Amino acid sequence: MRLAPFFCFFSFIWLADCAPPTCYSRVLGLSKEIMDLLEKLHNYHLTKTCVEILPKMFLDVHNSCIVTKLRDFLYVVENLPTRYCRERPRIVLLKRKVNNLYTIINRICYRDLVYFTDDCEAIETGQSTPHYGEDRLQLLVEEKR
């Protein structure tokens, strides 16, 4: 009888762990997987020459430019210059993951994601430049006087 509450407690923990991922968590996880895979491709000797042509990309799911950058990146990956590069298993995996992320963001989670910035350059460089709102900018101007 003493073990019954113990088993109930752990069964609730197990059920909580089995919850399906939300759109947001799936997008975050998939973008991290893509970034890790890109890093591996840049370091792997068989694919290093293939990925030199790929544009630099730092995925930020809170950036509204991610959809257009993913679309452009997918176009480049699908049209790599050599057949050898297009058929490498890791490149095929990258293409599949980028296509999945693009589909999830563009169709499945279309209205569930919230974009905090539209800094397209940040996706290419990984450096986000702060954009102050007009009220914050006005306060900065007044502080200088």
Side-chain angles (χ1 to χ4, degrees):
M1 282 310 242
R2 288 185 181 181
L3 295 177
F6 180 73
F7 286 121
C8 286
F9 176 73
F10 281 109
S11 66
F12 284 120
I13 290 176
W14 181 73
L15 287 174
D17 190 38
C18 294
T22 62
C23 273
Y24 180 70
S25 64
R26 181 64 184 137
V27 166
L28 280 178
L30 197 52
S31 63
K32 183 176 178 350
E33 289 176 26
I34 291 170
M35 292 302 298
D36 291 342
L37 183 58
L38 270 173
E39 185 177 335
K40 288 178 185 175
L41 289 172
H42 280 285
N43 295 329
Y44 188 55
H45 69 281
L46 292 177
T47 57
K48 191 181 286 190
T49 56
C50 294
V51 295
E52 287 175 348
I53 194 171
L54 295 179
K56 294 286 184 193
M57 186 168 60
F58 299 91
L59 294 177
D60 177 14
V61 298
H62 302 108
N63 192 330
S64 64
C65 296
I66 192 170
V67 177
T68 55
K69 293 295 180 182
L70 282 173
R71 185 191 62 219
D72 295 346
F73 189 84
L74 192 57
Y75 177 80
V76 173
V77 171
E78 288 176 344
N79 296 299
L80 287 171
T82 64
R83 185 175 179 167
Y84 170 81
C85 289
R86 286 191 301 266
E87 293 178 354
R88 299 297 310 158
R90 291 183 183 192
I91 303 282
V92 171
L93 179 64
L94 175 69
K95 183 172 38 173
R96 189 177 322 128
K97 286 182 184 268
V98 171
N99 193 18
N100 285 344
L101 182 61
Y102 178 76
T103 303
I104 289 171
I105 290 175
N106 207 26
R107 294 191 183 131
I108 299 170
C109 301
Y110 179 67
R111 296 179 189 242
D112 292 345
L113 297 177
V114 177
Y115 300 115
F116 297 125
T117 183
D118 61 349
D119 187 7
C120 295
E121 190 175 319
I123 291 181
E124 296 169 0
T125 63
Q127 308 259 325
S128 181
T129 54
H131 295 285
Y132 297 112
E134 285 186 30
D135 54 346
R136 175 75 176 133
L137 188 59
Q138 184 65 30
L139 289 173
L140 290 172
V141 170
E142 290 175 3
E143 287 177 0
K144 286 186 176 183
R145 291 182 188 170

